[in-house]
Each structure stands twice: as structure tokens, then as C-alpha cells.
């Protein structure tokens, strides 16, 4: 290993911190994960601790760094969820919580407390909203900052800095308060077209204080993802992580965007078309799902965030869509079914139960003599917005719907509901693709998947069949960690830019081809019409009840 050049990728997700030691060619040598704490003190309030997260990050990095001599570790990259971190004027945690506890100083990305504030921002019809699909999400940072100003006046008056969580990690690693364009443009309404914060926008939404002292509270200096920060790793952070002071530290990315970087760099040996950067859709499937695609020019699509200039690759535009609940929704449907306790006792984990359900569906398909497993849900339909719709309807008030339930409590019944939900999630992806196409985006020729759901073969095949598009599965499954490592390699000068780092480190992918038969496409076309009708019916019901 003495000749190896290595980098470290750090990923902070919703429930854990992870680190991986990766070679400069993209081989993952060792990884480590440590759980982090989340509080839910009130409905729709989800909070975390920056101290708890930083401690977990340092422990994970120490563990993976011990594999090789420190001198071989040339750089480190960070990604994290787009959660809001509040620090006081001394750089210490500042409470965002109804409990008043300073430890609870992060509003988690999935927190939905700021609906009224998001509505107020959207009512302004400001031109910056054109770059978030026409409306901000309550999961973005400006609504949360408005909520803090209104409801936590002491926090607001004592604030010394507000960070997106990825930027907080690089701040702790280097002491530099620089921010990433990735977080700023995607979650903070930074104007990437003009390369500046909008004083007029901040004034219009009642946050003019954020413009004071050169935007000190939200970021005076912004860098592109992968750019080296200041003098690298600080003495204090190096000691905590088991690394050398001065180790190159990369400007950060949001976690899903780091995954998209690694996915979009993947190669499909069967097709040169799939290797065109702008012909791919990357889907990062975790608790929620993010759908990312890059274009040469700006594409404005209603209900879809972006176009974000320079958010991942310089001079390319990012469109970002998503589903607010995917993996967590599948677990919810599983765990609330009457037969769940029995299945868990017998098989021990949700992952093993899903494998059993896949087997049950295959057996049912064979027993009924059907050509495709999808034909099992002719009378069962799901609208999957149990936690609101992120894209392309941008309506957090939508609810989940299931049509076709019976009093059946069997494992077969659970398997059918599970299949109908998987189909609904794939119809949701098709809905996003349709809106992008109607908005002038060039055709998507391949879908790349990573995350927990990408390990479920039925989920993958369902996406391929419903979207009529090949799905690529990277040979390296840890795409998000790999994306962070790519940033570390870029900061260390191993590669000249992120595009090159992605091409050299991402590696090949396995291809899952869609069923393009007329029978399959006709069936899913009809199911998709039902899917769209369901949301129309839900809104009609709301209108009746609001009369």
C-alpha cells in the first residue's frame, strides 16, 4: 500500500455519519458508520446536534484513516443533508428547539415546521423562485430562518452564523467560514446567475439582517464544490481525526448531490450514449429520493428545483427533483401491516422481509399464469405522497392514497400492497421525467440508481419497466461516499476538476434493461393514468370539503 494515494469521503445522512478510505482510482478500502441522534419534540419538528454529529464524524474518520500511513491520505471531502445549523457568536451550538436546549441546534432537512413561512415567500412571486420550480419548499433554509426569527427571538438575536450542515463540517475541519455554491444555490436562494446574494429578496421576505456585515451570518465567501479550502485541515481537527494538519479539505456538497456526482460519472460499456453526462438521470434512493440531471443550458420546469448553475459541475445546470418519502414509506407500509410482527420474528430484519415478499410475488405470478409480476396490481393502486409531494407538484399538503384494500391480513396481501407502492414510486419518477420533457429537456437515455432501494432487484426492474429506460447500477454501491472522496481528490490536486475525478473514479455499472413489449407498455400506461387521476380526485375531495 506504500504507493497508494488515498482520500477520505465523509457522508452525514439523516441517521448516521459515515466515512470511507478510497484510493485515487475509486477503490473503497474501508468504511465506518456511527449512528447520530434525532429529536422529535413536536409534530413536524425534527432536530439534531452539531456536537453529536461532529463527534461521530471524527470517530469514523479515525477508524478508516488507521488503515494506511497518514502521509498517503491526500485529501478529505464532506457531504451532508441540507439541514440548518445555528451557532452563537462564539461558534457554540444555539438552540432551535422548543425545549430551549442548546444541544438541539440543527433543524433537520425533513422538518416541516415552516409551512406558513414558505407560503409567505411564495406569495412574493419573486423572480428567484423561478429557479426552484416556482416555489420554495419548507425543507429549504429561508423558510426555516424566517421561522426562527418569528418564534425563537433569543436564538435570532444571539446568532453568530447559520450554516448548511455540509458547510458546518468544513468549518469545523478548517476554521474557514466559506460556503459551498452547491448548498447556497440549491437550498438558500443564492442567485447563481448573478453570483451574489439578493439583498432585495432578503428584504422582501423580512430577513434584511442577513445582508449585514457582508452577509456574515450566511456566507461572505462562496467556493465551488471540490475547491480546496484555505490551509486545509486545522491542527485541532487533524488531532481528532488522526490525519496530518494541512491535509487538503474540499468545499462540500449536499449528500444527494455527492451521490449524483459519482453516479453521473459511471460508465455503461454497452452504450456510448449513456456516457453523455447530460443524458443521465441520477436517483439517490434513501429515506427520501433525489432525482438529479445536468444540462448544458437552463431548463425551467414547474415544480422541479433549478436550474442551479454550478451546483455540481462548473458551467452546467442542475435540475433537482425528488420524493419526500421512499425508503421510509416502504418501511412504514411494511411495519403497519398486521402480519409484520410475525414476519419480523421469523426473518429478523426488514431487508430479509423484502426479499421474502419478492419471492411471494414471483410465486403468485407463476401460480396465476401471468406474463409479468406487475399484472398482480390491476385492482390495487397507490398515490405515494404520505409526506407531501416534493416534485413535480411541489405540494407538501398532499396525502397518501391506497385504492383497492380488502380485509385480507395475509403475507400475500402485504406483498401486493408493497408491489403497488413500488410501482407508485416509479410512476412518480415517470411524472418527473414527463414534466422535464415538456419543459424542453433533452431525452433521458439512462437512469442511475444508488442507495438502499437500489439493492432491491424488483424496485430496480420496476423503474426500468415503467420509465421505459435502462437502469444502471454502479459496481461501487457507496456512491455518496465515493462522491465525497472525488471532491477530496480534486482538492488535493490528484485531478484537475470534478468532471475528470468522476470519470476516473466512478467505474463501470451493471445495466438492467426495461421490458419494452407492447403489452407491458400498454399496462403501465393505463396504471399511470390511474396514478394521475388519483391526485386529481384527492384535490377534488379537498375542494368539496372546503366549499
Amino acid at each position: 500500500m506504500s504507493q497508494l494515494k488515498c482520500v477520505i469521503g465523509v457522508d452525514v445522512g439523516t441517521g448516521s455519519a459515515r466515512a470511507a478510505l478510497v484510493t485515487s482510482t475509486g477503490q473503497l478500502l474501508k468504511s465506518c458508520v456511527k449512528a447520530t441522534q434525532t429529536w422529535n419534540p413536536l409534530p413536524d419538528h425534527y432536530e439534531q446536534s452539531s456536537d453529536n454529529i461532529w463527534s461521530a464524524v471524527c470517530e469514523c474518520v479515525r477508524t478508516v484513516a488507521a488503515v494506511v500511513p497518514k502521509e498517503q491520505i491526500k485529501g478529505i471531502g464532506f457531504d451532508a443533508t441540507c439541514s440548518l445549523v445555528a451557532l452563537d457568536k462564539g461558534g457554540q451550538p444555539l438552540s432551535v428547539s422548543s425545549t430551549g436546549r442548546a444541544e438541539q441546534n440543527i433543524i433537520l432537512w425533513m422538518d416541516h415546521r415552516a409551512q406558513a413561512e414558505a407560503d409567505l415567500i411564495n406569495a412574493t412571486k419573486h423572480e428567484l423562485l423561478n429557479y426552484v420550480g416556482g416555489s420554495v419548499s419548507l425543507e429549504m433554509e429561508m423558510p426555516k430562518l424566517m421561522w426562527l426569527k418569528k418564534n425563537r427571538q433569543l436564538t435570532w438575536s444571539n446568532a453568530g452564523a447559520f450554516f448548511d450542515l455540509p458547510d458546518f463540517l468544513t468549518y469545523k475541519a478548517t476554521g474557514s467560514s466559506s460556503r459551498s455554491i452547491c448548498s447556497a444555490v440549491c437550498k438558500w436562494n443564492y442567485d447563481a446567475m448573478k453570483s451574489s446574494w439578493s439583498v432585495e429578496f432578503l428584504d422582501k421576505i423580512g430577513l434584511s439582517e442577513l445582508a449585514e456585515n457582508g452577509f456574515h451570518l450566511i456566507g461572505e465567501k462562496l467556493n465551488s464544490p471540490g475547491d480546496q479550502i484555505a490551509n486545509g485541515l486545522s491542527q485541532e481537527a487533524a488531532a481528532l481525526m488522526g490525519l496530518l494538519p494541512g491535509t487538503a479539505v474540499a468545499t462540500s456538497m449536499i449528500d444527494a448531490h455527492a451521490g449524483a456526482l459519482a453516479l453521473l460519472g459511471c460508465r455503461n460499456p454497452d452504450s456510448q450514449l449513456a456516457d453523455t453526462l447530460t443524458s443521465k438521470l441520477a436517483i439517490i434512493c434513501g429515506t427520501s429520493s433525489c432525482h438529479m440531471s445536468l444540462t448544458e443550458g437552463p431548463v425551467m420546469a414547474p415544480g422541479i428545483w433549478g436550474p442551479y448553475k454550478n451546483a455540481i459541475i462548473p458551467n452546467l445546470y442542475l435540475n433537482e427533483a425528488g420524493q419526500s418519502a421512499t425508503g421510509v414509506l416502504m418501511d412504514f407500509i411494511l411495519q403497519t401491516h398486521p402480519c409484520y410482527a410475525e414476519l419480523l420474528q421469523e426473518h429478523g430484519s426488514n431487508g430479509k422481509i423484502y426479499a421474502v415478499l419478492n419471492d411471494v410475488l414471483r410465486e403468485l405470478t407463476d401460480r396465476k399464469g401471468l406474463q409479468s409480476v406487475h399484472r398482480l396490481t390491476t385492482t390495487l393502486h397507490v398515490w405515494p405522497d404520505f409526506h407531501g409531494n416534493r416534485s413535480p407538484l411541489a405540494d407538501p399538503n398532499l396525502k397518501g392514497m391506497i385504492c383497492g384494500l380488502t380485509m385480507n391480513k395475509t403475507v400475500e396481501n402485504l406483498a401486493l400492497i408493497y408491489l403497488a407502492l413500488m410501482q407508485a414510486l416509479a410512476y412518480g419518477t415517470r411524472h418527473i421525467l414527463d414534466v422535464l420533457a415538456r419543459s424542453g429537456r433533452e431525452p433521458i437515455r439512462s437512469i442511475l440508481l444508488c442507495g438502499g432501494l437500489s439493492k432491491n432487484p424488483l424496485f430496480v426492474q420496476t423503474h426500468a419497466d415503467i420509465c421505459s429506460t435502462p437502469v444502471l447500477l454502479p459496481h461501487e454501491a457507496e456512491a455518496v461516499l465515493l462522491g465525497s472522496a472525488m471532491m477530496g481528490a480534486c482538492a488535493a490536486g490528484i485531478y484537475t476538476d470534478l468532471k475528470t475525478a468522476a470519470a476516473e473514479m466512478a467505474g463501470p455499472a451493471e445495466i438492467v434493461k426495461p421490458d419494452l413489449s407492447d403489452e407491458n407498455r400498454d399496462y403501465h400506461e393505463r396504471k399511470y393514468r390511474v396514478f394521475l387521476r388519483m391526485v386529481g380526485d384527492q384535490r377534488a375531495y379537498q375542494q368539496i370539503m372546503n366549499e
Side-chain angles (χ1 to χ4, degrees), residues 34-344:
K34 184 171 176 58
T36 54
Q37 187 168 3
T38 299
W39 291 270
N40 181 207
L42 293 170
D44 290 329
H45 288 224
Y46 294 91
E47 298 159 3
Q48 292 184 324
S49 161
S50 63
D51 283 350
N52 171 251
I53 287 172
W54 181 244
S55 175
V57 164
C58 291
E59 181 177 333
C60 290
V61 172
R62 275 198 313 274
T63 300
V64 302
V67 173
V68 297
K70 297 177 185 179
E71 292 77 13
Q72 290 181 216
I73 301 174
K74 305 300 182 181
I76 184 168
F78 294 91
D79 75 68
T81 64
C82 47
S83 301
L84 178 67
V85 183
L87 301 180
D88 66 19
K89 292 177 174 62
Q92 297 303 306
L94 187 63
S95 179
V96 298
S97 178
S98 59
T99 67
R101 295 178 61 195
E103 181 183 20
Q104 291 165 229
N105 71 314
I106 297 177
I107 300 181
L108 189 60
W109 68 269
M110 63 186 289
D111 185 289
H112 278 195
R113 71 182 70 182
Q115 178 63 64
E117 288 73 22
D119 291 342
L120 286 171
I121 293 174
N122 292 329
T124 69
K125 306 294 184 183
H126 194 276
E127 63 179 358
L128 280 179
L129 300 183
N130 292 330
Y131 297 95
V132 287
S135 60
V136 297
S137 165
L138 76 173
E139 294 175 0
M140 293 178 177
E141 309 303 15
M142 288 302 170
K144 293 172 181 174
L145 289 167
M146 288 175 66
W147 187 92
L148 285 174
K149 181 178 179 180
K150 178 182 178 181
N151 296 282
R152 296 288 177 269
Q153 289 90 351
L154 192 60
T155 294
W156 188 257
S157 61
N158 289 331
F162 295 110
F163 284 97
D164 217 49
L165 183 54
D167 291 329
F168 168 79
L169 298 176
T170 58
Y171 164 72
K172 290 292 286 186
T174 65
S176 169
S177 60
S178 65
R179 308 302 209 274
S180 171
I181 287 176
C182 179
S183 288
V185 69
C186 294
K187 305 300 175 186
W188 293 70
N189 298 108
Y190 179 79
D191 190 342
M193 297 299 187
K194 297 178 181 177
S195 300
S196 66
W197 295 105
S198 171
V199 175
E200 186 255 343
F201 174 71
L202 293 174
D203 184 61
K204 198 163 190 176
I205 64 173
L207 295 179
S208 57
E209 302 95 321
L210 297 182
E212 295 173 0
N213 300 315
F215 305 97
H216 174 74
L217 285 173
I218 56 174
E220 301 170 75
K221 181 181 180 183
L222 279 79
N223 296 322
S224 294
D227 285 356
Q228 185 173 357
I229 297 177
N231 297 315
L233 205 60
S234 68
Q235 291 273 356
E236 180 182 358
L240 290 170
M241 293 179 166
L243 297 174
L244 292 176
T247 298
V249 176
T251 300
S252 65
M253 273 193 196
I254 301 165
D255 54 352
H257 299 62
L261 173 66
L263 287 176
L264 294 171
C266 278
R267 301 185 297 276
N268 172 14
D270 289 351
S271 170
Q272 290 185 340
L273 282 175
D275 280 340
T276 304
L277 200 61
T278 56
S279 71
K280 302 175 182 179
L281 176 73
I283 307 180
I284 297 85
C285 314
T287 304
S288 62
S289 289
C290 289
H291 299 58
M292 309 268 193
S293 71
L294 298 173
T295 56
E296 298 282 353
V299 174
M300 291 187 175
I304 293 174
W305 300 338
Y308 296 138
K309 187 178 181 182
N310 304 325
I312 296 181
I313 302 288
N315 299 316
L316 292 181
Y317 295 83
L318 169 68
N319 284 109
E320 178 185 351
Q323 294 165 310
S324 293
T326 48
V328 69
L329 178 56
M330 291 185 70
D331 285 345
F332 174 81
I333 292 296
L334 176 68
Q335 292 165 0
T336 54
H337 195 275
C339 71
Y340 173 68
E342 179 183 342
L343 285 170
L344 184 63

Side-chain angles (χ1 to χ4, degrees), residues 307-514:
Y308 296 138
K309 187 178 181 182
N310 304 325
I312 296 181
I313 302 288
N315 299 316
L316 292 181
Y317 295 83
L318 169 68
N319 284 109
E320 178 185 351
Q323 294 165 310
S324 293
T326 48
V328 69
L329 178 56
M330 291 185 70
D331 285 345
F332 174 81
I333 292 296
L334 176 68
Q335 292 165 0
T336 54
H337 195 275
C339 71
Y340 173 68
E342 179 183 342
L343 285 170
L344 184 63
Q345 184 174 7
E346 184 176 353
H347 301 287
S349 72
N350 287 1
K352 291 180 179 177
I353 294 174
Y354 290 131
V356 169
L357 295 180
N358 288 350
D359 289 340
V360 170
L361 290 169
R362 278 191 292 270
E363 292 168 6
L364 271 173
T365 304
D366 292 342
R367 191 191 318 155
K368 296 191 175 191
L370 300 175
Q371 291 182 329
S372 167
V373 67
H374 295 301
R375 298 273 177 169
L376 292 169
T377 60
T378 302
T379 60
L380 187 59
H381 311 282
V382 174
W383 179 264
D385 289 333
F386 286 59
H387 196 55
N389 183 282
R390 185 184 299 169
S391 308
L393 301 178
D395 186 350
N397 297 311
L398 285 175
K399 305 294 188 285
M401 304 168 70
I402 302 178
C403 174
L405 290 176
T406 70
M407 295 178 65
N408 194 322
K409 300 178 182 180
T410 65
V411 173
E412 286 187 359
N413 174 258
L414 172 57
L416 293 173
I417 297 172
Y418 155 76
L419 173 60
L421 174 59
M422 268 197 296
Q423 292 169 335
L425 294 172
Y427 294 132
T429 294
R430 177 179 166 181
H431 196 189
I432 290 165
L433 290 174
D434 285 353
V435 170
L436 285 170
R438 288 198 298 270
S439 301
R441 198 209 186 284
E442 68 173 281
I444 294 292
R445 300 186 185 279
S446 60
I447 295 172
L448 296 104
L449 293 181
C450 74
L453 291 176
S454 69
K455 298 167 186 173
N456 184 326
L458 185 55
F459 179 87
V460 174
Q461 189 66 58
T462 298
H463 259 75
D465 292 347
I466 286 173
C467 298
S468 298
T469 304
V471 171
L472 303 182
L473 299 175
H475 288 185
E476 176 48 68
E478 297 293 356
V480 179
L481 282 168
L482 185 57
S484 277
M486 290 172 180
M487 290 187 284
C490 189
I494 296 172
Y495 297 107
T496 55
D497 54 51
L498 279 183
K499 196 172 182 179
T500 305
E504 294 297 324
M505 296 177 70
E510 172 192 348
I511 186 168
V512 177
K513 296 181 179 179

